[in-house]
mmCIF file of all heavy atoms in Angstrom:
data_model
loop_
_atom_site.group_PDB
_atom_site.id
_atom_site.type_symbol
_atom_site.label_atom_id
_atom_site.label_comp_id
_atom_site.label_asym_id
_atom_site.label_seq_id
_atom_site.Cartn_x
_atom_site.Cartn_y
_atom_site.Cartn_z
ATOM 1 N N SER T 1 -9.314 10.932 -34.857
ATOM 2 C CA SER T 1 -9.948 9.615 -34.885
ATOM 3 C C SER T 1 -10.857 9.355 -33.686
ATOM 4 O O SER T 1 -11.681 8.456 -33.731
ATOM 5 C CB SER T 1 -8.890 8.519 -34.993
ATOM 6 O OG SER T 1 -8.163 8.431 -33.786
ATOM 7 N N PHE T 2 -10.708 10.124 -32.618
ATOM 8 C CA PHE T 2 -11.545 9.917 -31.450
ATOM 9 C C PHE T 2 -12.850 10.672 -31.608
ATOM 10 O O PHE T 2 -12.873 11.868 -31.857
ATOM 11 C CB PHE T 2 -10.838 10.369 -30.169
ATOM 12 C CG PHE T 2 -9.943 9.314 -29.607
ATOM 13 C CD1 PHE T 2 -8.618 9.261 -29.959
ATOM 14 C CD2 PHE T 2 -10.441 8.359 -28.749
ATOM 15 C CE1 PHE T 2 -7.793 8.284 -29.459
ATOM 16 C CE2 PHE T 2 -9.624 7.369 -28.238
ATOM 17 C CZ PHE T 2 -8.298 7.335 -28.595
ATOM 18 N N GLU T 3 -13.937 9.957 -31.461
ATOM 19 C CA GLU T 3 -15.262 10.566 -31.536
ATOM 20 C C GLU T 3 -15.717 10.921 -30.127
ATOM 21 O O GLU T 3 -15.088 10.535 -29.141
ATOM 22 C CB GLU T 3 -16.234 9.598 -32.196
ATOM 23 C CG GLU T 3 -15.853 9.294 -33.641
ATOM 24 C CD GLU T 3 -16.787 8.301 -34.287
ATOM 25 O OE1 GLU T 3 -17.874 8.061 -33.739
ATOM 26 O OE2 GLU T 3 -16.419 7.768 -35.338
ATOM 27 N N ALA T 4 -16.803 11.632 -30.037
ATOM 28 C CA ALA T 4 -17.305 12.094 -28.742
ATOM 29 C C ALA T 4 -17.530 10.937 -27.769
ATOM 30 O O ALA T 4 -17.258 11.061 -26.582
ATOM 31 C CB ALA T 4 -18.595 12.883 -28.927
ATOM 32 N N ALA T 5 -17.995 9.804 -28.263
ATOM 33 C CA ALA T 5 -18.255 8.652 -27.392
ATOM 34 C C ALA T 5 -16.960 8.099 -26.798
ATOM 35 O O ALA T 5 -16.971 7.522 -25.722
ATOM 36 C CB ALA T 5 -18.973 7.561 -28.173
ATOM 37 N N GLU T 6 -15.863 8.290 -27.497
ATOM 38 C CA GLU T 6 -14.591 7.749 -27.031
ATOM 39 C C GLU T 6 -13.847 8.679 -26.081
ATOM 40 O O GLU T 6 -12.849 8.286 -25.499
ATOM 41 C CB GLU T 6 -13.696 7.424 -28.231
ATOM 42 C CG GLU T 6 -14.243 6.300 -29.090
ATOM 43 C CD GLU T 6 -13.407 6.078 -30.321
ATOM 44 O OE1 GLU T 6 -13.240 7.030 -31.099
ATOM 45 O OE2 GLU T 6 -12.910 4.949 -30.485
ATOM 46 N N VAL T 7 -14.326 9.896 -25.916
ATOM 47 C CA VAL T 7 -13.681 10.845 -25.024
ATOM 48 C C VAL T 7 -13.675 10.308 -23.597
ATOM 49 O O VAL T 7 -12.697 10.438 -22.875
ATOM 50 C CB VAL T 7 -14.351 12.236 -25.120
ATOM 51 C CG1 VAL T 7 -13.838 13.167 -24.047
ATOM 52 C CG2 VAL T 7 -14.119 12.821 -26.498
ATOM 53 N N ALA T 8 -14.757 9.677 -23.189
ATOM 54 C CA ALA T 8 -14.822 9.075 -21.852
ATOM 55 C C ALA T 8 -13.784 7.966 -21.720
ATOM 56 O O ALA T 8 -13.167 7.800 -20.669
ATOM 57 C CB ALA T 8 -16.213 8.533 -21.575
ATOM 58 N N GLU T 9 -13.588 7.205 -22.799
ATOM 59 C CA GLU T 9 -12.571 6.147 -22.785
ATOM 60 C C GLU T 9 -11.174 6.742 -22.641
ATOM 61 O O GLU T 9 -10.336 6.201 -21.922
ATOM 62 C CB GLU T 9 -12.673 5.320 -24.073
ATOM 63 C CG GLU T 9 -11.704 4.151 -24.102
ATOM 64 C CD GLU T 9 -11.739 3.385 -25.414
ATOM 65 O OE1 GLU T 9 -12.491 3.771 -26.332
ATOM 66 O OE2 GLU T 9 -10.981 2.406 -25.509
ATOM 67 N N VAL T 10 -10.921 7.863 -23.300
ATOM 68 C CA VAL T 10 -9.626 8.543 -23.176
ATOM 69 C C VAL T 10 -9.418 8.975 -21.731
ATOM 70 O O VAL T 10 -8.328 8.801 -21.183
ATOM 71 C CB VAL T 10 -9.532 9.752 -24.138
ATOM 72 C CG1 VAL T 10 -8.321 10.604 -23.824
ATOM 73 C CG2 VAL T 10 -9.499 9.282 -25.579
ATOM 74 N N ALA T 11 -10.455 9.501 -21.106
ATOM 75 C CA ALA T 11 -10.358 9.916 -19.701
ATOM 76 C C ALA T 11 -10.043 8.725 -18.802
ATOM 77 O O ALA T 11 -9.211 8.822 -17.891
ATOM 78 C CB ALA T 11 -11.643 10.600 -19.259
ATOM 79 N N GLU T 12 -10.681 7.590 -19.068
ATOM 80 C CA GLU T 12 -10.399 6.365 -18.291
ATOM 81 C C GLU T 12 -8.965 5.901 -18.484
ATOM 82 O O GLU T 12 -8.287 5.534 -17.526
ATOM 83 C CB GLU T 12 -11.340 5.241 -18.722
ATOM 84 C CG GLU T 12 -12.704 5.275 -18.119
ATOM 85 C CD GLU T 12 -13.547 4.089 -18.585
ATOM 86 O OE1 GLU T 12 -12.991 2.985 -18.768
ATOM 87 O OE2 GLU T 12 -14.751 4.292 -18.786
ATOM 88 N N MET T 13 -8.518 5.893 -19.738
ATOM 89 C CA MET T 13 -7.145 5.457 -20.021
ATOM 90 C C MET T 13 -6.133 6.405 -19.385
ATOM 91 O O MET T 13 -5.113 5.961 -18.859
ATOM 92 C CB MET T 13 -6.909 5.347 -21.529
ATOM 93 C CG MET T 13 -7.609 4.164 -22.162
ATOM 94 S SD MET T 13 -7.142 3.889 -23.885
ATOM 95 C CE MET T 13 -8.042 5.197 -24.703
ATOM 96 N N THR T 14 -6.421 7.698 -19.406
ATOM 97 C CA THR T 14 -5.522 8.664 -18.784
ATOM 98 C C THR T 14 -5.434 8.422 -17.290
ATOM 99 O O THR T 14 -4.342 8.422 -16.714
ATOM 100 C CB THR T 14 -5.991 10.108 -19.068
ATOM 101 O OG1 THR T 14 -6.076 10.296 -20.476
ATOM 102 C CG2 THR T 14 -5.029 11.125 -18.490
ATOM 103 N N ALA T 15 -6.573 8.195 -16.655
ATOM 104 C CA ALA T 15 -6.585 7.919 -15.217
ATOM 105 C C ALA T 15 -5.807 6.639 -14.905
ATOM 106 O O ALA T 15 -5.029 6.583 -13.948
ATOM 107 C CB ALA T 15 -8.023 7.800 -14.715
ATOM 108 N N ARG T 16 -5.991 5.618 -15.743
ATOM 109 C CA ARG T 16 -5.262 4.356 -15.556
ATOM 110 C C ARG T 16 -3.760 4.578 -15.718
ATOM 111 O O ARG T 16 -2.949 4.062 -14.942
ATOM 112 C CB ARG T 16 -5.764 3.316 -16.549
ATOM 113 C CG ARG T 16 -5.260 1.919 -16.265
ATOM 114 C CD ARG T 16 -5.885 0.859 -17.172
ATOM 115 N NE ARG T 16 -7.282 1.117 -17.461
ATOM 116 C CZ ARG T 16 -7.799 1.177 -18.696
ATOM 117 N NH1 ARG T 16 -7.032 0.993 -19.753
ATOM 118 N NH2 ARG T 16 -9.076 1.399 -18.887
ATOM 119 N N LEU T 17 -3.380 5.367 -16.731
ATOM 120 C CA LEU T 17 -1.961 5.641 -16.949
ATOM 121 C C LEU T 17 -1.369 6.444 -15.799
ATOM 122 O O LEU T 17 -0.218 6.223 -15.418
ATOM 123 C CB LEU T 17 -1.744 6.360 -18.282
ATOM 124 C CG LEU T 17 -1.896 5.472 -19.515
ATOM 125 C CD1 LEU T 17 -1.915 6.326 -20.778
ATOM 126 C CD2 LEU T 17 -0.793 4.428 -19.584
ATOM 127 N N ARG T 18 -2.134 7.353 -15.233
ATOM 128 C CA ARG T 18 -1.641 8.092 -14.060
ATOM 129 C C ARG T 18 -1.314 7.126 -12.929
ATOM 130 O O ARG T 18 -0.281 7.242 -12.279
ATOM 131 C CB ARG T 18 -2.693 9.097 -13.577
ATOM 132 C CG ARG T 18 -2.782 10.353 -14.373
ATOM 133 C CD ARG T 18 -3.773 11.336 -13.713
ATOM 134 N NE ARG T 18 -4.080 12.434 -14.583
ATOM 135 C CZ ARG T 18 -3.308 13.507 -14.754
ATOM 136 N NH1 ARG T 18 -2.194 13.606 -14.085
ATOM 137 N NH2 ARG T 18 -3.678 14.472 -15.576
ATOM 138 N N GLU T 19 -2.205 6.173 -12.705
ATOM 139 C CA GLU T 19 -1.968 5.174 -11.657
ATOM 140 C C GLU T 19 -0.752 4.309 -11.993
ATOM 141 O O GLU T 19 0.062 3.997 -11.117
ATOM 142 C CB GLU T 19 -3.198 4.291 -11.480
ATOM 143 C CG GLU T 19 -4.385 5.013 -10.892
ATOM 144 C CD GLU T 19 -5.641 4.156 -10.881
ATOM 145 O OE1 GLU T 19 -5.551 2.929 -11.134
ATOM 146 O OE2 GLU T 19 -6.719 4.719 -10.621
ATOM 147 N N ASP T 20 -0.651 3.910 -13.255
ATOM 148 C CA ASP T 20 0.479 3.084 -13.681
ATOM 149 C C ASP T 20 1.800 3.831 -13.512
ATOM 150 O O ASP T 20 2.788 3.272 -13.024
ATOM 151 C CB ASP T 20 0.321 2.650 -15.141
ATOM 152 C CG ASP T 20 -0.844 1.692 -15.341
ATOM 153 O OD1 ASP T 20 -1.311 1.094 -14.356
ATOM 154 O OD2 ASP T 20 -1.282 1.545 -16.501
ATOM 155 N N ILE T 21 1.815 5.087 -13.906
ATOM 156 C CA ILE T 21 3.030 5.905 -13.763
ATOM 157 C C ILE T 21 3.384 6.050 -12.292
ATOM 158 O O ILE T 21 4.548 5.889 -11.907
ATOM 159 C CB ILE T 21 2.835 7.281 -14.438
ATOM 160 C CG1 ILE T 21 2.788 7.112 -15.956
ATOM 161 C CG2 ILE T 21 3.938 8.251 -14.036
ATOM 162 C CD1 ILE T 21 2.326 8.342 -16.718
ATOM 163 N N ALA T 22 2.380 6.320 -11.465
ATOM 164 C CA ALA T 22 2.614 6.451 -10.027
ATOM 165 C C ALA T 22 3.160 5.150 -9.435
ATOM 166 O O ALA T 22 3.964 5.172 -8.499
ATOM 167 C CB ALA T 22 1.331 6.862 -9.314
ATOM 168 N N GLY T 23 2.761 4.007 -9.969
ATOM 169 C CA GLY T 23 3.277 2.730 -9.494
ATOM 170 C C GLY T 23 4.665 2.406 -10.037
ATOM 171 O O GLY T 23 5.473 1.759 -9.362
ATOM 172 N N LEU T 24 4.942 2.859 -11.244
ATOM 173 C CA LEU T 24 6.247 2.587 -11.852
ATOM 174 C C LEU T 24 7.356 3.483 -11.295
ATOM 175 O O LEU T 24 8.517 3.079 -11.264
ATOM 176 C CB LEU T 24 6.179 2.747 -13.372
ATOM 177 C CG LEU T 24 5.585 1.568 -14.121
ATOM 178 C CD1 LEU T 24 5.255 1.945 -15.559
ATOM 179 C CD2 LEU T 24 6.540 0.387 -14.089
ATOM 180 N N ILE T 25 7.003 4.683 -10.859
ATOM 181 C CA ILE T 25 8.028 5.605 -10.351
ATOM 182 C C ILE T 25 8.851 4.974 -9.227
ATOM 183 O O ILE T 25 10.074 4.910 -9.324
ATOM 184 C CB ILE T 25 7.413 6.961 -9.934
ATOM 185 C CG1 ILE T 25 7.045 7.757 -11.189
ATOM 186 C CG2 ILE T 25 8.358 7.761 -9.053
ATOM 187 C CD1 ILE T 25 6.270 9.035 -10.900
ATOM 188 N N PRO T 26 8.232 4.484 -8.153
ATOM 189 C CA PRO T 26 9.058 3.901 -7.084
ATOM 190 C C PRO T 26 9.775 2.617 -7.520
ATOM 191 O O PRO T 26 10.877 2.326 -7.050
ATOM 192 C CB PRO T 26 8.076 3.632 -5.947
ATOM 193 C CG PRO T 26 6.728 3.705 -6.543
ATOM 194 C CD PRO T 26 6.824 4.521 -7.783
ATOM 195 N N ALA T 27 9.172 1.858 -8.435
ATOM 196 C CA ALA T 27 9.806 0.621 -8.900
ATOM 197 C C ALA T 27 11.076 0.923 -9.692
ATOM 198 O O ALA T 27 12.124 0.296 -9.476
ATOM 199 C CB ALA T 27 8.823 -0.184 -9.752
ATOM 200 N N VAL T 28 10.997 1.883 -10.601
ATOM 201 C CA VAL T 28 12.177 2.252 -11.398
ATOM 202 C C VAL T 28 13.214 2.910 -10.501
ATOM 203 O O VAL T 28 14.413 2.645 -10.613
ATOM 204 C CB VAL T 28 11.779 3.162 -12.584
ATOM 205 C CG1 VAL T 28 13.009 3.712 -13.290
ATOM 206 C CG2 VAL T 28 10.898 2.393 -13.569
ATOM 207 N N GLU T 29 12.756 3.743 -9.598
ATOM 208 C CA GLU T 29 13.678 4.413 -8.673
ATOM 209 C C GLU T 29 14.457 3.389 -7.844
ATOM 210 O O GLU T 29 15.659 3.538 -7.635
ATOM 211 C CB GLU T 29 12.886 5.343 -7.767
ATOM 212 C CG GLU T 29 13.708 6.416 -7.130
ATOM 213 C CD GLU T 29 12.810 7.506 -6.564
ATOM 214 O OE1 GLU T 29 11.796 7.188 -5.894
ATOM 215 O OE2 GLU T 29 13.124 8.674 -6.806
ATOM 216 N N ALA T 30 13.778 2.348 -7.403
ATOM 217 C CA ALA T 30 14.448 1.299 -6.623
ATOM 218 C C ALA T 30 15.508 0.591 -7.462
ATOM 219 O O ALA T 30 16.586 0.263 -6.961
ATOM 220 C CB ALA T 30 13.423 0.299 -6.100
ATOM 221 N N LEU T 31 15.213 0.374 -8.735
ATOM 222 C CA LEU T 31 16.184 -0.281 -9.611
ATOM 223 C C LEU T 31 17.406 0.598 -9.858
ATOM 224 O O LEU T 31 18.510 0.091 -10.045
ATOM 225 C CB LEU T 31 15.533 -0.659 -10.943
ATOM 226 C CG LEU T 31 14.496 -1.772 -10.880
ATOM 227 C CD1 LEU T 31 13.737 -1.887 -12.194
ATOM 228 C CD2 LEU T 31 15.158 -3.108 -10.523
ATOM 229 N N THR T 32 17.229 1.906 -9.855
ATOM 230 C CA THR T 32 18.373 2.802 -10.092
ATOM 231 C C THR T 32 19.328 2.819 -8.908
ATOM 232 O O THR T 32 20.518 3.089 -9.088
ATOM 233 C CB THR T 32 17.926 4.260 -10.375
ATOM 234 O OG1 THR T 32 17.284 4.794 -9.223
ATOM 235 C CG2 THR T 32 17.039 4.331 -11.591
ATOM 236 N N ARG T 33 18.835 2.529 -7.722
ATOM 237 C CA ARG T 33 19.688 2.557 -6.531
ATOM 238 C C ARG T 33 20.789 1.505 -6.572
ATOM 239 O O ARG T 33 21.829 1.672 -5.949
ATOM 240 C CB ARG T 33 18.847 2.371 -5.274
ATOM 241 C CG ARG T 33 18.017 3.576 -4.962
ATOM 242 C CD ARG T 33 17.370 3.483 -3.579
ATOM 243 N NE ARG T 33 16.245 4.405 -3.549
ATOM 244 C CZ ARG T 33 14.977 4.051 -3.529
ATOM 245 N NH1 ARG T 33 14.641 2.776 -3.494
ATOM 246 N NH2 ARG T 33 14.031 4.963 -3.518
ATOM 247 N N ALA T 34 20.557 0.438 -7.302
ATOM 248 C CA ALA T 34 21.540 -0.637 -7.382
ATOM 249 C C ALA T 34 22.666 -0.331 -8.372
ATOM 250 O O ALA T 34 23.652 -1.058 -8.434
ATOM 251 C CB ALA T 34 20.851 -1.939 -7.781
ATOM 252 N N LEU T 35 22.523 0.738 -9.121
ATOM 253 C CA LEU T 35 23.498 1.074 -10.162
ATOM 254 C C LEU T 35 24.485 2.118 -9.666
ATOM 255 O O LEU T 35 24.172 2.931 -8.797
ATOM 256 C CB LEU T 35 22.766 1.602 -11.399
ATOM 257 C CG LEU T 35 21.778 0.626 -12.032
ATOM 258 C CD1 LEU T 35 20.992 1.321 -13.128
ATOM 259 C CD2 LEU T 35 22.491 -0.589 -12.578
ATOM 260 N N PRO T 36 25.702 2.114 -10.245
ATOM 261 C CA PRO T 36 26.694 3.128 -9.868
ATOM 262 C C PRO T 36 26.197 4.530 -10.213
ATOM 263 O O PRO T 36 25.418 4.715 -11.148
ATOM 264 C CB PRO T 36 27.923 2.782 -10.726
ATOM 265 C CG PRO T 36 27.672 1.428 -11.275
ATOM 266 C CD PRO T 36 26.216 1.164 -11.224
ATOM 267 N N LYS T 37 26.664 5.512 -9.478
ATOM 268 C CA LYS T 37 26.226 6.906 -9.664
ATOM 269 C C LYS T 37 26.519 7.430 -11.064
ATOM 270 O O LYS T 37 25.773 8.249 -11.579
ATOM 271 C CB LYS T 37 26.907 7.819 -8.637
ATOM 272 C CG LYS T 37 26.600 7.464 -7.217
ATOM 273 C CD LYS T 37 25.330 8.113 -6.769
ATOM 274 C CE LYS T 37 25.163 7.903 -5.275
ATOM 275 N NZ LYS T 37 23.816 7.688 -4.887
ATOM 276 N N ASP T 38 27.590 6.965 -11.696
ATOM 277 C CA ASP T 38 27.970 7.473 -13.021
ATOM 278 C C ASP T 38 27.454 6.592 -14.164
ATOM 279 O O ASP T 38 27.870 6.757 -15.308
ATOM 280 C CB ASP T 38 29.481 7.639 -13.116
ATOM 281 C CG ASP T 38 30.235 6.322 -12.936
ATOM 282 O OD1 ASP T 38 29.619 5.331 -12.495
ATOM 283 O OD2 ASP T 38 31.444 6.292 -13.236
ATOM 284 N N ASP T 39 26.546 5.695 -13.884
ATOM 285 C CA ASP T 39 25.998 4.792 -14.892
ATOM 286 C C ASP T 39 25.046 5.550 -15.825
ATOM 287 O O ASP T 39 24.142 6.252 -15.371
ATOM 288 C CB ASP T 39 25.248 3.651 -14.184
ATOM 289 C CG ASP T 39 24.864 2.536 -15.125
ATOM 290 O OD1 ASP T 39 25.765 1.941 -15.723
ATOM 291 O OD2 ASP T 39 23.647 2.284 -15.240
ATOM 292 N N VAL T 40 25.238 5.417 -17.132
ATOM 293 C CA VAL T 40 24.417 6.136 -18.105
ATOM 294 C C VAL T 40 22.958 5.677 -18.070
ATOM 295 O O VAL T 40 22.049 6.525 -18.037
ATOM 296 C CB VAL T 40 25.018 6.031 -19.527
ATOM 297 C CG1 VAL T 40 24.079 6.629 -20.557
ATOM 298 C CG2 VAL T 40 26.373 6.717 -19.571
ATOM 299 N N PRO T 41 22.650 4.378 -18.068
ATOM 300 C CA PRO T 41 21.240 3.971 -17.969
ATOM 301 C C PRO T 41 20.561 4.503 -16.706
ATOM 302 O O PRO T 41 19.384 4.852 -16.714
ATOM 303 C CB PRO T 41 21.295 2.448 -17.973
ATOM 304 C CG PRO T 41 22.555 2.128 -18.702
ATOM 305 C CD PRO T 41 23.517 3.213 -18.301
ATOM 306 N N ARG T 42 21.324 4.603 -15.615
ATOM 307 C CA ARG T 42 20.776 5.153 -14.374
ATOM 308 C C ARG T 42 20.410 6.622 -14.573
ATOM 309 O O ARG T 42 19.322 7.059 -14.193
ATOM 310 C CB ARG T 42 21.796 5.022 -13.245
ATOM 311 C CG ARG T 42 21.332 5.613 -11.933
ATOM 312 C CD ARG T 42 22.449 5.504 -10.867
ATOM 313 N NE ARG T 42 21.965 5.947 -9.584
ATOM 314 C CZ ARG T 42 22.037 7.211 -9.147
ATOM 315 N NH1 ARG T 42 22.576 8.143 -9.913
ATOM 316 N NH2 ARG T 42 21.570 7.535 -7.968
ATOM 317 N N ALA T 43 21.293 7.376 -15.191
ATOM 318 C CA ALA T 43 21.033 8.800 -15.438
ATOM 319 C C ALA T 43 19.809 8.980 -16.339
ATOM 320 O O ALA T 43 18.980 9.868 -16.099
ATOM 321 C CB ALA T 43 22.258 9.455 -16.051
ATOM 322 N N CYS T 44 19.698 8.147 -17.354
ATOM 323 C CA CYS T 44 18.536 8.223 -18.257
ATOM 324 C C CYS T 44 17.248 7.913 -17.510
ATOM 325 O O CYS T 44 16.235 8.597 -17.686
ATOM 326 C CB CYS T 44 18.715 7.265 -19.424
ATOM 327 S SG CYS T 44 20.019 7.743 -20.558
ATOM 328 N N ALA T 45 17.294 6.890 -16.668
ATOM 329 C CA ALA T 45 16.104 6.516 -15.900
ATOM 330 C C ALA T 45 15.722 7.623 -14.924
ATOM 331 O O ALA T 45 14.540 7.941 -14.768
ATOM 332 C CB ALA T 45 16.354 5.212 -15.156
ATOM 333 N N LEU T 46 16.707 8.248 -14.287
ATOM 334 C CA LEU T 46 16.420 9.334 -13.352
ATOM 335 C C LEU T 46 15.803 10.536 -14.072
ATOM 336 O O LEU T 46 14.894 11.183 -13.544
ATOM 337 C CB LEU T 46 17.681 9.742 -12.590
ATOM 338 C CG LEU T 46 18.192 8.710 -11.578
ATOM 339 C CD1 LEU T 46 19.521 9.158 -10.985
ATOM 340 C CD2 LEU T 46 17.168 8.441 -10.489
#
């Protein structure tokens, strides 16, 4: 479904997602610290 004109848009979205992922990593990691070591949601998040 992506045409040649939209390839640049895909590149932009990928770059944006890289930044978003890089920003979410420390945020999610901080939330896992508050959970017990044997917590299943913590293990999934890690």
Side-chain angles (χ1 to χ4, degrees):
S1 70
F2 275 92
E3 296 178 15
E6 294 175 302
V7 171
E9 183 184 2
V10 169
E12 279 182 36
M13 288 188 285
T14 303
R16 191 174 323 127
L17 286 170
R18 282 185 191 279
E19 291 173 11
D20 293 342
I21 290 168
L24 280 166
I25 286 173
V28 172
E29 200 165 46
L31 291 170
T32 64
R33 288 190 200 110
L35 300 173
K37 300 274 188 217
D38 61 347
D39 190 60
V40 173
R42 178 183 186 270
C44 291
L46 290 174

